[in-house]
């Protein structure tokens, strides 16, 4: 039978030239369409669960499999990240990447970057009061803090490229590793929020969270990310124990600097482009 897509005359169940499935006139039925949709959903669902299991419990395996060319059993890096980012957006109203305008105007390290002067100039230029601008800024920050998380991927890829320059891996390989790692980081923050932060605030209130809970979660987070990266570096970059431990600790500690840099980027984006 001739392939309907490329015209190859030797099509069997699937065309050997383009991969198109053999045409069946009965495929244009509601029953067949429902069966095909269910098959597609089930396949995607299995791939997602398999990818989720690997990224949570087998650090470094997914990027190692991807760069080795074994990709069919898992979701692609960017697609998986975008799906996790969507879940992160839907299930969290506040996150570590979001800060209100008050924090930028009153606390270090933000004020050292001239945040007060920038806001004053913007208010004078547009004849607006701080009370009028604050709620619009906070709304934009809450939205943008999740929408631009993809920018964390090249930032971390650059960090990994510098730390493992002797491994002679290409920047794309570092980018693949960073994509799966940032997806894990969002998953971890989401689980940390739902399983630790929410119950803690329910038991001890907002004041208890500010006094003790926030620092506890930050400590647990940094330690957990360091352990995860240690295992991931060992598997993906195949580095020794000592170097993996040092780079994992350094990478975990750079999270604070990267988060501050990300917040400042959003601050200037919102202040300078808002109308």
């Amino acid at each position: 039978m001739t392939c309907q897509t490329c015209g190859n005359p030797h099509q069997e169940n699937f065309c050997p030239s383009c991969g198109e499935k053999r045409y069946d006139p009965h495929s244009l039925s509601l029953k067949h369409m429902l069966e095909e949709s269910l098959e597609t959903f089930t396949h995607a669902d299995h791939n997602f669960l398999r990818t989720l299991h690997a990224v949570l419990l087998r650090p470094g395996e997914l990027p190692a499999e991807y760069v080795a060319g074994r990709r069919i059993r898992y979701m692609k890096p960017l697609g998986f990240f975008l799906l996790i980012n969507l879940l992160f957006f839907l299930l969290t109203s506040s996150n570590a990447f979001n800060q209100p305008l008050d924090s930028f105007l009153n606390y270090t390290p933000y004020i050292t970057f001239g945040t007060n002067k920038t806001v004053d100039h913007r208010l004078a230029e547009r004849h607006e009061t701080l009370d009028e601008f604050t709620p619009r800024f906070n709304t934009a920050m809450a939205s943008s803090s999740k929408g631009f998380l993809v920018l964390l991927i090249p930032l971390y890829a650059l960090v990994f490229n510098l730390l493992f320059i002797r491994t002679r891996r290409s920047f794309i390989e570092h980018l693949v590793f960073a994509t799966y790692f940032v997806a894990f980081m969002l998953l971890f923050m989401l689980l940390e929020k739902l399983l630790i932060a929410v119950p803690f605030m329910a038991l001890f209130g907002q004041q208890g969270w500010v006094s003790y809970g926030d620092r506890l979660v930050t400590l647990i987070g940094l330690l957990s990310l360091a352990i995860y990266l240690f295992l991931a570096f060992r598997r993906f970059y195949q580095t020794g124990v000592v170097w993996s431990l040092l780079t994992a600790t350094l990478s975990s500690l750079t999270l604070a600097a990267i988060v501050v840099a990300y917040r400042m980027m959003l601050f200037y984006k919102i202040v300078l482009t808002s109308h």
Side-chain angles (χ1 to χ4, degrees):
M1 185 176 182
T2 301
C3 176
Q4 302 296 313
T5 298
C6 69
N8 189 303
H10 303 295
Q11 185 184 31
E12 297 179 3
N13 288 334
F14 293 90
C15 176
S17 177
C18 69
E20 181 68 77
K21 188 175 182 179
R22 182 174 182 172
Y23 176 70
D24 179 2
H26 299 292
S27 64
L28 298 178
S29 66
L30 180 60
K31 179 176 180 295
H32 181 84
M33 290 179 66
L34 290 174
E35 290 175 347
E36 195 174 57
S37 299
L38 181 61
E39 180 184 357
T40 301
F41 174 79
T42 304
H43 178 71
D45 184 50
H46 286 170
N47 275 3
F48 172 71
L49 293 177
R50 196 179 293 121
T51 306
L52 187 65
H53 180 268
V55 81
L56 287 174
L57 301 179
R58 298 198 296 272
E61 181 173 301
L62 286 178
E65 290 289 287
Y66 187 87
V67 300
R70 297 184 289 269
R71 306 172 183 178
I72 194 170
R73 298 180 69 248
Y74 303 105
M75 291 185 68
K76 301 299 185 292
L78 187 57
F80 181 68
F81 164 79
L82 292 175
L83 182 55
I84 297 303
N85 192 22
L86 177 63
L87 292 175
F88 189 75
F89 181 86
L90 293 175
L91 298 177
T92 58
S93 57
S94 60
N95 58 81
F97 308 103
N98 177 18
Q99 287 288 290
L101 182 60
D102 179 69
S103 295
F104 286 104
L105 299 181
N106 294 288
Y107 299 110
T108 55
Y110 311 114
I111 57 177
T112 60
F113 296 104
T115 51
N116 283 282
K117 183 178 179 180
T118 302
V119 170
D120 288 343
H121 179 74
R122 188 254 180 235
L123 296 178
E125 185 179 60
R126 304 190 181 180
H127 307 290
E128 190 174 16
T129 66
L130 182 61
D131 289 340
E132 292 171 334
F133 179 62
T134 297
R136 291 200 298 108
F137 176 93
N138 291 342
T139 300
M141 173 61 77
S143 176
S144 298
S145 65
K146 300 171 184 177
F148 289 86
L149 286 176
V150 69
L151 296 177
L152 291 176
I153 295 174
L155 284 175
Y156 261 111
L158 182 60
V159 171
F160 298 144
N161 185 45
L162 294 173
L163 291 175
F164 298 102
I165 194 168
R166 291 186 177 182
T167 62
R168 300 185 182 278
R169 289 190 177 271
S170 68
F171 187 75
I172 296 300
E173 291 177 287
H174 295 299
L175 205 60
V176 170
F177 184 90
T179 303
Y180 281 122
F181 169 66
V182 174
F184 165 78
M185 188 168 64
L186 296 183
L187 274 170
F188 181 82
M189 288 181 175
L190 180 59
L191 292 173
E192 202 174 40
K193 175 84 173 179
L194 297 177
L195 300 180
I196 300 178
V198 172
F200 191 99
M201 283 188 281
L203 289 173
F204 302 104
Q206 183 66 31
Q207 187 57 45
W209 171 255
V210 173
S211 301
Y212 305 104
D214 190 32
R215 280 177 287 180
L216 175 64
V217 167
T218 299
L219 181 61
I220 292 173
L222 291 176
L223 181 61
S224 300
L225 288 178
I227 294 172
Y228 184 89
L229 283 172
F230 170 77
L231 298 173
F233 290 163
R234 292 277 289 155
R235 178 172 280 141
F236 183 72
Y237 292 107
Q238 298 182 346
T239 47
V241 173
V242 175
W243 186 246
S244 297
L245 183 60
L246 289 174
T247 52
T249 303
L250 181 61
S251 298
S252 179
L253 293 176
T254 59
L255 174 62
I258 288 178
V259 168
V260 169
Y262 184 76
R263 290 171 178 171
M264 289 306 305
M265 180 205 69
L266 293 179
F267 169 83
Y268 284 110
K269 170 191 169 293
I270 295 169
V271 172
L272 300 177
T273 62
S274 64
H275 298 289

